[in-house]
Amino acid sequence: MSATATAKTYRAESIAEALAAAKKELGPQAVVLSARELRRPGLLGAGRPLLELLVAPSSTPVAPAQAVTESRPATPAEEPASDQLVKRLVRDLRATCRESEMERAQAREALSRIRREIGEAGATLRSLIAEARLARGCDLPPAQITVIRQLVDNGIEPGNAEALVRSAPQDFDDPAQVRSAVARFAVGLLRVAAPPHLVAERTVAAFVGPTGVGKTTTVAKIAAHAALAGRTVGLITTDTYRIGAVDQLRAYAELLHAPLCVVEQPQDWERTLRRLQGCSLLLVDSGGRSFRAREEVERLAELLPRPLVNEIHLVLPAAISPSDLRLQAQAFAALRPDRLLWTKLDECAVFGALLNGFLNLRLPCSYLSTGQRVPEDLEVATPERIGRLLLASPPGA
Ligand SMILES: Nc1nc2c(ncn2[C@@H]2O[C@H](COP(=O)(O)OP(=O)(O)O)[C@@H](O)[C@H]2O)c(=O)[nH]1
Ligand SMILES: [Mg+2]
């Protein structure tokens, strides 16, 4: 006789209740053959669903597992029913956890998409308003309006361009003169930060930013310049997330004969500082963080405690759009960066981001990275250089 022929069904609100009833009737060795959820009868089937267990007495030869459990793997006949149930519950729980984790990830993804869209819409709106003002001629003379348009063509946010032109001396009526006046004004306005490789005091400088912007390469360049300037450099990385990230920095460390330490948790600093106590400049590379990964940025903030870390450079590509700049600034705000470091200037046609970054974030600029070569393609930022970049004619203009 098959197991299902002698099996009985038990219904209850919980598995435990149904199982207790089954064991009471069929004995403690009863075997659960299957379980399913039933909708309660009623208009809407409301309330907690009922659970139905199909249970056979233990003396009954158990039918081949797949007959009862369909596609589930076979369960050894001697395995007690309670074990099977526990396994099943664990399996179900795991599946539920996986599902809710996926739902959370999808919700996070949707939220950041909305944030991004709002950011972009805001930037577009600001541009449109500024454009509309310019189209109406606003209250500025034509020469000033021409220069505002040129600055906008150079990637400067329209609002920033107008503010800059309005703030510069107004007593010119030739666009070229207005342009020079604006350039002089911008140069006076821009702030740069002392580059850590040329600072005499012992400094711990960290470099943070999105993935692939050139953090590791820039750290290597600064380390090489520091070594050339006679500093003893120690390299530190918190990037244990990306495969090969530590090896990338280790390769540079070996070339420079600089020690390398990994900081994976805040407690690692004590050991790291002991090991690098002879170094006068500690450069901390970090893993790239997507602006979506808020928790990761918060975790990184714990790995870069102030005032132990003296300065945090937010590394961004010079080609970044105004809306992405706002998003990235927002994403990395938890780290309280105090320097801006621009990379990939060589891949850039216009340099408005350098001014947008300064005006929107109010952070001084430390370095400019102008290519892939280590250590050659690195410049210490100066207002004059940034001013020249801002006012350079865009290609094709
Ligand atoms: N064109 C150009 N490429 C750069 C510059 N800085 C870094 N890179 C390249 O960008 C890629 C990513 O650099 P990496 O330092 O690994 O970025 P990270 O993920 O921020 O650490 C590498 O191929 C670098 O050679 C730069 O200033 N200009
Ligand atoms: Mg890196």
Side-chain angles (χ1 to χ4, degrees):
M1 191 165 43
S2 77
T4 37
T6 56
K8 294 186 69 172
T9 54
Y10 295 87
R11 290 178 184 176
E13 281 198 349
S14 70
I15 289 186
E17 248 180 86
L19 190 63
K23 286 194 169 179
K24 198 169 166 196
E25 205 174 319
L26 304 178
Q29 299 303 316
V31 178
V32 177
L33 298 177
S34 70
R36 64 179 178 138
E37 259 185 17
L38 297 174
R39 289 244 139 249
R40 274 185 194 281
L43 205 55
L44 297 169
R48 277 185 74 182
L50 278 178
L51 282 155
E52 184 185 87
L53 297 187
L54 182 64
V55 187
S58 69
S59 53
T60 312
V62 177
Q66 76 277 14
V68 179
T69 56
E70 292 174 4
S71 62
R72 294 193 190 277
T75 311
E78 63 278 10
E79 192 169 35
S82 54
D83 283 7
Q84 288 180 34
L85 257 181
V86 169
K87 279 186 184 162
R88 182 171 189 150
L89 284 173
V90 168
R91 221 172 24 234
D92 290 352
L93 258 175
R94 281 206 184 115
T96 312
C97 288
R98 264 199 307 274
E99 274 167 25
S100 61
E101 183 48 46
M102 274 163 63
E103 278 166 13
R104 272 207 302 278
Q106 279 167 358
R108 273 201 301 270
E109 179 70 21
L111 197 65
S112 45
R113 207 177 44 244
I114 291 168
R115 271 208 202 103
R116 192 186 168 85
E117 280 167 12
I118 291 174
E120 278 168 6
T124 311
L125 198 63
R126 275 190 295 276
S127 295
L128 285 174
I129 292 170
E131 252 316 303
R133 285 167 57 81
L134 285 181
R136 279 205 318 272
C138 60
D139 55 330
L140 287 170
Q144 265 89 353
I145 293 179
T146 305
V147 175
I148 293 176
R149 286 194 199 285
Q150 288 171 352
L151 295 176
V152 172
D153 287 345
N154 276 11
I156 297 172
E157 268 189 65
N160 287 339
E162 187 180 333
L164 197 62
V165 169
R166 278 186 189 280
S167 312
Q170 301 279 317
D171 41 352
F172 305 103
D173 46 18
D174 169 41
Q177 287 174 312
V178 175
R179 219 173 135 84
S180 313
V182 168
R184 280 194 300 277
F185 180 76
V187 168
L189 186 74
L190 288 162
R191 292 285 169 266
V192 291
H197 80 275
L198 295 179
V199 172
E201 297 93 64
R202 187 170 198 266
T203 308
V204 181
F207 299 82
V208 304
T211 39
V213 288
K215 294 180 296 299
T216 306
T217 315
T218 307
V219 163
K221 290 175 187 175
I222 298 172
H225 281 282
L228 287 171
R231 310 282 306 271
T232 40
V233 188
L235 297 178
I236 298 166
T237 183
T238 66
D239 189 4
T240 48
Y241 181 71
R242 190 171 63 80
I243 295 168
V246 178
D247 295 333
Q248 188 189 358
L249 195 61
R250 182 172 293 123
Y252 287 121
E254 280 168 9
L255 280 173
L256 296 166
H257 302 292
L260 170 71
C261 292
V262 178
V263 167
E264 279 184 281
Q265 41 195 349
Q267 306 85 282
D268 294 345
W269 273 106
E270 205 183 315
R271 168 183 52 79
T272 302
L273 291 178
R274 240 192 345 261
R275 180 157 171 235
L276 302 180
Q277 61 186 350
C279 300
S280 60
L281 177 63
L282 306 188
L283 299 174
V284 190
D285 187 17
S286 68
R289 293 291 179 259
S290 150
F291 63 84
R292 295 184 174 91
R294 189 175 291 244
E295 305 97 72
E296 285 182 42
V297 174
E298 279 161 13
R299 210 182 80 78
L300 184 56
E302 283 170 16
L303 291 181
L304 302 175
R306 305 287 199 137
L308 188 155
V309 174
N310 308 116
E311 46 192 65
I312 296 187
H313 300 234
L314 177 57
V315 183
L316 293 172
I320 196 166
S321 71
S323 54
D324 277 347
L325 175 65
R326 284 178 194 276
L327 276 174
Q328 296 293 2
Q330 210 180 350
F332 286 92
L335 293 165
R336 292 183 293 121
D338 43 20
R339 310 272 194 277
L340 273 175
L341 191 160
W342 297 102
T343 59
K344 308 202 177 183
L345 269 76
D346 55 311
E347 291 183 350
C348 219
V350 292
F351 302 90
L354 277 63
L355 187 79
N356 296 332
F358 176 71
L359 292 179
N360 299 354
L361 311 184
R362 296 274 158 198
L363 295 181
C365 180
S366 55
Y367 294 96
L368 304 173
S369 165
T370 55
Q372 290 180 292
R373 291 176 309 161
V374 178
E376 293 93 331
D377 294 334
L378 185 76
E379 293 178 24
V380 170
T382 64
E384 293 72 23
R385 169 78 160 124
I386 299 174
R388 276 198 305 278
L389 288 168
L390 292 176
L391 289 152
S393 297

